[in-house]
Amino acid sequence: MANSGLWVGVLTALTALGASYLTGRATLRAALAQARTTTRAEALREQRDRRRSAYREMLSCTHVFSAVTWQIDDVDAACDRQSKDRLLTQMYERIGPAIGDMNRAMHEVRLDGPAEVSAAADHVRNTARRVQALLKTLIEDDSPERRNEYDAAYRDFREAYVTFIGLAREALEVKTEDR
């Protein structure tokens, strides 16, 4: 009988060791899964923050560009050709640095992506360049054709800008997985 008590004790000890081993492995797996989840969440948060910063800079530079183009109302209100040309020249001088800043911001967006947002930022910049070129043609030429070309280019710019905003917003949205 003493012998069977020994076997019961050994069996109980082995069961406890096995249970402890299995519990330890399960705890280790859970800790590793939690660490992976935390690391992934932090990486996604950092990516989102970088993108948000790049998109905001692009929006800010685009706003500065737009502020220059909105001065076309002052040109329209000017009484004589000389005043109009002076205002258009001032606009043209200010629009170059605004596009330069937009170009820098567009490259930041290009780094952080995604590709469709990067392409949209590039399109905004390219349409802004077209507005700039057509603004220059308005100096000393106030023909309706030139102004219509400028206005059409500005509408294209605004459309590109609105598209960029939509794609940027979509890229920043938190996507949840359905399980």
Side-chain angles (χ1 to χ4, degrees), residues 112-164:
D112 289 315
E116 56 273 2
V117 178
S118 175
D122 194 34
H123 187 60
V124 169
R125 190 247 344 238
N126 289 337
T127 57
R129 286 179 172 169
R130 174 120 172 91
V131 170
Q132 178 190 28
L134 290 169
L135 177 65
K136 186 174 185 180
T137 66
L138 289 176
I139 301 171
E140 297 182 7
D141 183 359
D142 64 346
S143 66
E145 296 82 21
R146 291 279 183 239
R147 180 54 189 267
N148 288 339
E149 289 174 355
Y150 173 84
D151 289 343
Y154 183 77
R155 283 190 299 274
D156 291 344
F157 163 77
R158 288 298 297 172
E159 184 178 313
Y161 179 55
V162 169
T163 299
F164 169 76

Side-chain angles (χ1 to χ4, degrees), residues 69-113:
T69 61
W70 294 332
Q71 292 176 334
I72 199 75
D73 292 337
D74 296 337
V75 172
D76 292 340
C79 299
D80 58 63
R81 184 70 237 166
Q82 186 178 19
S83 296
K84 288 182 181 202
D85 286 345
R86 181 178 45 77
L87 289 170
L88 287 167
T89 300
Q90 289 172 355
M91 285 175 64
Y92 186 75
E93 289 169 354
R94 291 182 57 217
I95 212 165
I99 289 177
D101 290 343
M102 189 186 304
N103 189 51
R104 180 187 41 76
M106 185 271 309
H107 288 297
E108 289 295 319
V109 171
R110 186 175 283 166
L111 283 174
D112 289 315

